[in-house]
């Protein structure tokens, strides 16, 4: 729903810092009882004052006061005019893709969330929406655009390679060709990076990750400033119906309040973990925003407030990842990220399973790559757990090698 329609705008003379906005982005002081936490409005329908005029709320799928609060909180953190809340990140992404018609062309980074990649292959393709995957978006140029190119889609930092792409530069290029720039900002959140302020037209989120923050919420958001486009997406949201439920809106509001302190702590942990992994003899490479080149490190510094809380690392040949995952004592093997707990996964067989093998190789994702979503636990415990499991995984292979030698 459009921000400020039912809420007092925050005083422009008192622009809150982002860490205050995560807490105060959807203040509860305008509700009838002065409750500090937004109430959950479960009512599916609202009484109308007369037969010709609807009130601000009419029917749950169309508008809901708790969802409105959640949308306000996400919009405010992005400094966006509008936000829309959905039942999942994929529902938000699918709604944005409703904008495109047969004959349109989309340029997408090849390095995106597996579910979005599958959406291109199995939904947009059969719908005759044309697309090209760009292996390295930093090479994007005028020559990639076609007369029917309607949008560029990207994630930065990319998942799971942590490559960084220049949002402002790509926005400028897209706009020169009359195309929209759509950014999936799930990995950074509005706390660390604001794509709309950098020139993007539409931001999408899986709020299942950092906004929820506790691995107990499935939610997605679109944020944008263009009112016509907002009205179009609002129409799709209401017509397709994959809206964020009142209870999940409440969970979102509860989660987003601690987004800043969670990310601050996670980023502290990330720095320590990078240092420890780089020194570990079982690890061949550590991937984090900026690892790829000094240029990308500069771009990350320019467009974001930190590294975020997801890194990846490659293990040396012979290190048995099966043993590594099995020997972890605290950290769990699971997909997803952005919660308070540390999680590891292997993208090739898990999050990026929808990708063809050769495409994964092309973007640099191999079977020896581990994605690590760093939690808020004590950093010494995280490092101890990783190190001991890596050491056993490496030694188990040495034993195996020796056996082979004896034979
Ligand atoms: C998880 C994720 C999605 C999909 O979100 P859901 O909430 O699981 O539907 C989209 N993009 C990125 C980058 C993700 O990590």
């Amino acid at each position: 729903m459009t921000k400020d329609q039912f809420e007092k705008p925050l005083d422009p003379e008192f622009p809150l810092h982002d860490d205050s906005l995560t807490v105060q982005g959807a203040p509860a002081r305008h509700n009838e009882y002065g409750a500090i936490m937004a109430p959950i409005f479960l009512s599916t329908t609202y009484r109308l004052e007369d037969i010709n005029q609807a009130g601000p709320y009419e029917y749950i799928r169309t508008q809901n006061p708790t969802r409105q609060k959640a949308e306000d909180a996400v919009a405010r953190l992005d400094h966006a005019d509008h936000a829309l809340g959905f039942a999942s990140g994929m529902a938000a992404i699918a709604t944005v893709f409703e904008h495109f018609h047969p004959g349109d062309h989309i340029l997408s980074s090849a390095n995106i969330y597996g579910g979005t990649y599958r959406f291109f292959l199995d939904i947009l393709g059969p719908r005759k929406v044309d697309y090209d995957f760009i292996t390295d978006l930093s090479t994007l140029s005028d020559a990639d655009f076609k007369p029917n190119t309607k949008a560029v889609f990207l994630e930065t930092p990319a998942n799971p390679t942590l490559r960084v792409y220049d949002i402002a530069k790509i926005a400028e290029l897209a706009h020169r060709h009359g195309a929209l720039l759509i950014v999936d900002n799930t990995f950074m959140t509005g706390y660390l990076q604001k794509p709309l302020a950098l020139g993007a037209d539409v931001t999408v989120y899986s709020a299942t990750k950092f906004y929820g923050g506790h691995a107990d919420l499935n939610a997605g958001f679109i944020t944008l400033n263009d009112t016509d486009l907002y009205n179009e997406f609002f129409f799709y949201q209401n017509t397709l119906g994959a809206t964020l439920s009142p209870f999940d809106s409440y969970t979102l509001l509860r989660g987003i309040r601690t987004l800043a302190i969670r990310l601050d702590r996670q980023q502290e942990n990330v720095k320590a973990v990078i240092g420890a992994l780089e020194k570990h003899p079982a690890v061949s490479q550590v991937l984090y925003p900026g690892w790829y080149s000094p240029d990308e490190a500069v771009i990350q510094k320019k467009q974001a407030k930190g590294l975020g809380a997801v890194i990846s690392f490659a293990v040396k040949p012979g290190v048995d990842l099966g043993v590594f995952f099995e020997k972890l004592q605290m950290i769990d093997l699971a997909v997803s990220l952005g919660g308070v707990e540390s999680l590891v996964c292997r993208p090739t067989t898990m999050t990026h399973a929808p990708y063809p093998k050769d495409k994964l190789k092309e973007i640099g994702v191999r079977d020896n790559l581990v994605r690590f979503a760093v939690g808020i636990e004590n950093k010494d415990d995280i490092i101890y757990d990783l190190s001991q499991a890596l050491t056993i995984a490496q030694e188990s292979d040495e034993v195996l090698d020796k056996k082979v030698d004896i034979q």
Side-chain angles (χ1 to χ4, degrees):
M1 184 169 287
T2 303
K3 194 179 80 180
D4 296 339
Q5 205 172 334
F6 304 107
E7 282 273 4
K8 269 196 227 163
L10 295 178
D11 181 356
E13 300 298 315
F14 181 27
L16 297 182
H17 292 88
D18 284 341
D19 43 1
S20 297
L21 272 181
T22 60
V23 181
Q24 297 281 0
R29 63 182 70 100
H30 306 299
N31 73 57
E32 196 179 345
Y33 302 104
I36 291 303
M37 193 56 200
I40 307 173
F41 284 88
L42 293 173
S43 183
T44 56
T45 188
Y46 293 80
R47 198 176 60 226
L48 304 188
E49 290 304 325
D50 87 52
I51 53 169
N52 294 314
Q53 190 147 5
Y57 301 101
E58 194 179 355
Y59 182 66
I60 187 169
R61 190 182 64 248
T62 316
Q63 281 147 343
N64 171 272
T66 317
R67 194 176 87 216
Q68 163 84 53
K69 288 276 187 198
E71 289 170 341
D72 278 358
V74 172
R76 286 208 167 104
L77 188 57
D78 263 4
H79 299 167
D81 287 341
H82 312 288
L84 292 159
F86 294 87
S88 69
M90 282 317 302
I93 290 167
T95 299
V96 169
F97 285 147
E98 283 295 317
H99 179 70
F100 303 99
H101 301 290
D104 288 350
H105 173 251
I106 303 175
L107 283 166
S108 175
S109 167
N111 196 178
I112 52 175
Y113 178 68
T116 313
Y117 191 84
R118 181 171 55 202
F119 201 96
F120 275 101
L121 288 187
D122 296 336
I123 300 215
L124 290 177
R127 272 188 201 171
K128 307 280 179 245
V129 174
D130 193 15
Y131 57 85
D132 281 308
F133 286 127
I134 308 290
T135 301
D136 181 352
L137 208 62
S138 65
T139 67
L140 189 75
S141 73
D142 289 319
D144 293 307
F145 286 80
K146 298 180 181 177
N148 58 339
T149 302
K150 293 285 162 58
V152 178
F153 182 92
L154 67 88
E155 289 176 25
T156 181
N159 172 21
T161 63
L162 286 311
R163 289 286 309 273
V164 173
Y165 305 118
D166 190 331
I167 296 174
K169 195 175 133 205
I170 295 170
E172 208 257 332
L173 194 57
H175 294 159
R176 201 148 17 101
H177 292 271
L180 298 172
L181 175 60
I182 304 160
V183 176
D184 181 336
N185 200 37
T186 299
F187 270 41
M188 288 281 99
T189 77
Y191 178 54
L192 298 179
Q193 178 169 275
K194 301 189 197 308
L196 299 177
L198 294 160
D201 302 281
V202 179
T203 312
V204 291
Y205 290 104
S206 169
T208 312
K209 315 295 165 56
F210 290 101
Y211 285 100
H214 297 74
D216 57 5
L217 169 70
N218 198 189
F221 284 85
I222 300 174
T223 67
L224 73 171
N225 291 324
D226 185 286
T227 300
D228 289 341
L229 206 51
Y230 161 75
N231 287 331
E232 185 185 325
F233 292 153
F234 176 68
F235 169 80
Y236 298 142
Q237 183 195 38
N238 185 39
T239 304
L240 298 171
T243 52
L244 189 63
S245 76
F247 192 87
D248 287 343
S249 300
Y250 162 81
T251 309
L252 183 285
L253 285 164
R254 181 171 172 133
I256 200 171
R257 291 177 160 220
T258 54
L259 177 68
I261 56 161
R262 281 187 281 111
L263 267 169
D264 288 350
R265 166 69 171 239
Q266 282 166 316
Q267 294 194 114
E268 244 177 68
N269 287 351
V270 157
K271 277 191 197 141
V273 169
I274 291 171
L277 284 173
E278 280 178 339
K279 281 197 229 109
H280 200 286
V283 173
S284 57
Q285 195 165 35
V286 185
L287 283 57
Y288 52 87
W291 72 275
Y292 185 80
S293 68
D295 270 3
E296 291 195 4
V298 169
I299 296 166
Q300 180 68 12
K301 212 162 184 171
K302 183 185 72 174
Q303 70 188 12
K305 247 176 17 194
L307 299 183
V310 182
I311 60 172
S312 297
F313 58 91
V315 293
K316 286 184 183 159
V319 176
D320 189 331
L321 277 185
V323 172
F324 166 68
F325 290 127
E326 191 196 307
K327 292 297 174 187
L328 286 169
Q329 294 177 31
M330 178 185 77
I331 301 164
D332 278 312
L333 171 66
V335 298
S336 201
L337 53 105
V340 288
E341 61 288 300
S342 294
L343 297 175
V344 282
C345 78
R346 182 167 72 168
T348 50
T349 50
M350 295 171 70
T351 56
H352 285 64
Y355 273 71
K357 277 263 175 255
D358 58 331
K359 202 74 193 173
L360 280 176
K361 222 177 193 171
E362 208 176 290
I363 61 170
V365 180
R366 296 189 172 76
D367 280 333
N368 67 336
L369 193 75
V370 177
R371 189 182 75 187
F372 185 31
V374 181
I376 65 168
E377 303 93 341
N378 184 299
K379 61 177 180 294
D380 294 338
D381 294 340
I382 298 174
I383 291 167
Y384 178 84
D385 200 18
L386 282 178
S387 303
Q388 61 85 20
L390 279 168
T391 301
I392 299 172
Q394 189 176 31
E395 283 168 357
S396 71
D397 187 66
E398 277 165 16
V399 174
L400 207 72
D401 279 353
K402 273 181 207 138
K403 269 197 208 138
V404 173
D405 285 348
I406 294 164
Q407 284 171 351

